Amino acid sequence: MSTIYQERIPIELFYNLPDFSNILLKCNLMPEALDQVDYDTLDAAKRRFIDAAKRTLGFASAYGIVPASGLGASANAFNFNLTPFLEAGARELSMTLVPEGLGTADDTRPDDLCEEELRRFWWNIGIKIISCLTNDAATSGMQTILLGLYLPSSTPETIFTPAFLDGFLDGVVEGCKQVGCVYLSGETPQLKTKMISGRLDIAGSVFGVMPAGVIPIDSSRLDAGNTIVLVESSGPHENGFTPMRKLAESLPDGYRTKLASGQEFWKAMNAASYLYTPLVQAVLSEGIRPTAMENITGHGWQKLMRSVKPLRYVIETMLPVPEIFTFVEGHLEGGAATMLSVFNYGAGFAFYTESEQDAERIVLLAREHKLSAVVAGRVEAFLTREVVVKPLGVTLKGDSFGIARGV
């Protein structure tokens, strides 16, 4: 029986032989170039995000510090100052972790924005992501301390442009400054098979704590006889962009369509959101203890009946309605009822108080924070949940709003 000896010869040895490479190509045998992540673009963007994080390190100094030497690591440390809590005799530390995404607000713009318009657009988007994260935390009375962002894309080379990096990061830093929190950079993965080319997803999470000696506001004390305070919005904030984007497609000038004031549609949509954490903290520091607080975002004014309790929320006084909402209302079916069910319609945040005196104090505090607010109405006992907006003759029923807070 004969023995056959075999030896594997690396195919690379033949590459330099005449015409052999061409034969391999024709037979689809030539190794393909490695399809890999664009780390040059991502690393350059990452350095910009780290630089932005450094600019926020002192914004939460009342609660602790981040040693600058640790920035750029996979996990950054925040040295939390427990002294105020120990001095207050607090036996527990109430905290929160809120994840949230921006949605499609960053897709709503014309394709022909100049460089300066792009920078301003992204600056406002930077404020909007801070808003949707920190305003939610504020509904329990939480002071946001730390913030991280998650920004995946398929084509980072088309996303992380100078206009984006300059505008967005400046907006994030400004938002953190207003709220009083530290931005700890974040993650910017390239996801070629998961993301649409040229698009970015903007999401993140915040870590927040209650001030020393203050228990979380959880709506358990909300009851009939409470007074409702509404605080103004700057416009859509972060919700309702799907129907507005659809509307833009049907307008002759699209996003460039001018409202009655002359402002273009996209600019009204893109208005920087208001950040309510400073006002909430001012209210708590004054010794006012709201029975509930709500950030009016998705589901619009239905959020006013967020509590699971069977109560009627009667609104008798409204804030002025921003022009963008009257414009949208004139083009969409459903009238005021639809607008109130989808948009904040000029009211971005709600406080509920046990006394009208506390409500009036909140209105004054809002003014000090350059925000308009009104004592809007009252809470009444009822068999089910509903919101009655008397100036518009609209009633929103609880059976169409399945989200509830409390048990």
Side-chain angles (χ1 to χ4, degrees), residues 63 141-144 209 211 276-286:
Y63 287 88
M142 297 285 176
Q143 167 64 51
T144 296
V209 299
Y276 299 111
T277 297
L279 174 59
V280 168
Q281 294 304 311
V283 167
L284 297 179
S285 66
E286 286 287 310

Side-chain angles (χ1 to χ4, degrees), residues 74-122:
S74 296
N76 298 302
F78 181 84
N79 296 340
F80 197 88
N81 179 17
L82 293 173
T83 302
F85 297 88
L86 296 174
E87 291 177 346
R91 299 179 63 85
E92 296 178 342
L93 179 63
S94 297
M95 61 186 71
T96 189
L97 177 66
V98 179
E100 187 58 87
L102 182 63
T104 58
D106 61 310
D107 294 333
T108 53
R109 66 185 189 275
D111 294 329
D112 61 347
L113 295 185
C114 69
E115 196 77 0
E116 183 54 37
E117 286 177 322
L118 273 172
R119 281 184 168 83
R120 188 64 196 184
F121 174 87
W122 285 116

